[in-house]
Amino acid sequence: MSDDADDVMGVITQQIETRFQMPLADLRRAVASAPHANNDATVVVKWYGMLAEAQEVLEKAEDALGAALESAPADVLDEPVMKLAQQVNTAVAVRDGRAMVVRHYLDPNSPGRKGPGAWRGVEAGPRRSPALQTAPAPSKAHAPSVPVRGASR
């Protein structure tokens, strides 16, 4: 695991433990034994597991790219190496996206987590009226006739 991965996973683990006031391993056991007791904990544990899986995929992709780069000529990056680099980029995006989801569920004040209209136990944000007032388009029968210059009749 790279230092950056240790940092990402370590920081998120610490945030989870702070939020739920228990070690992550204990939280996982609590969620496994009573998944409906705390919806936030259940969702965070689920997404943390998906984050850990994404981190493993990223590490394997990085290892494969590193091995390919070691055996490739120094001045040429061929198509297989470029494909491995793209796999690393994709794995980073997936890992970072899942980290964002975990952080979202850890923050009770994040957008979409407060207000009426709870969705799956998570409260939605306040409802607002449309930015522009809308009205149905007038029908042809009621539309005023406006002559068009240069139009033939």
Side-chain angles (χ1 to χ4, degrees):
M1 189 183 281
S2 68
D3 290 339
D4 289 342
D6 286 336
D7 291 345
V8 170
M9 298 302 289
V11 167
I12 291 176
T13 299
Q14 184 178 16
Q15 290 172 342
I16 292 170
E17 291 175 346
T18 300
R19 166 76 166 77
F20 295 101
Q21 297 297 300
M22 68 174 63
L24 181 58
D26 292 348
L27 182 63
R28 285 178 161 172
R29 282 190 292 275
V31 165
S33 65
H36 301 290
N38 184 322
N39 188 54
D40 284 348
T42 301
V43 171
V44 166
V45 166
K46 171 191 164 193
W47 278 97
Y48 183 85
M50 292 171 53
L51 171 61
E53 290 172 2
Q55 182 60 46
E56 289 177 27
V57 169
L58 172 57
E59 290 170 10
K60 288 178 184 175
E62 286 175 332
D63 291 345
L65 177 60
L69 288 171
E70 286 178 6
S71 64
D75 59 341
V76 178
L77 294 178
D78 58 4
E79 188 174 336
V81 172
M82 294 305 293
K83 284 184 178 181
L84 289 171
Q86 184 57 46
Q87 288 176 356
V88 169
N89 286 339
T90 300
V92 167
V94 170
R95 191 266 324 261
D96 290 351
R98 290 179 181 180
M100 287 174 50
V101 172
V102 172
R103 288 183 176 125
H104 169 78
Y105 283 113
L106 286 173
D107 181 2
N109 296 316
S110 64
R113 304 262 307 160
K114 288 186 151 191
W119 176 77
R120 299 178 120 201
V122 178
E123 295 181 8
R127 293 208 173 250
R128 289 177 243 163
S129 61
L132 299 174
Q133 294 300 318
T134 58
S139 66
K140 280 192 164 190
H142 296 98
S145 175
V146 178
V148 178
R149 290 186 191 202
S152 60
R153 291 184 183 205

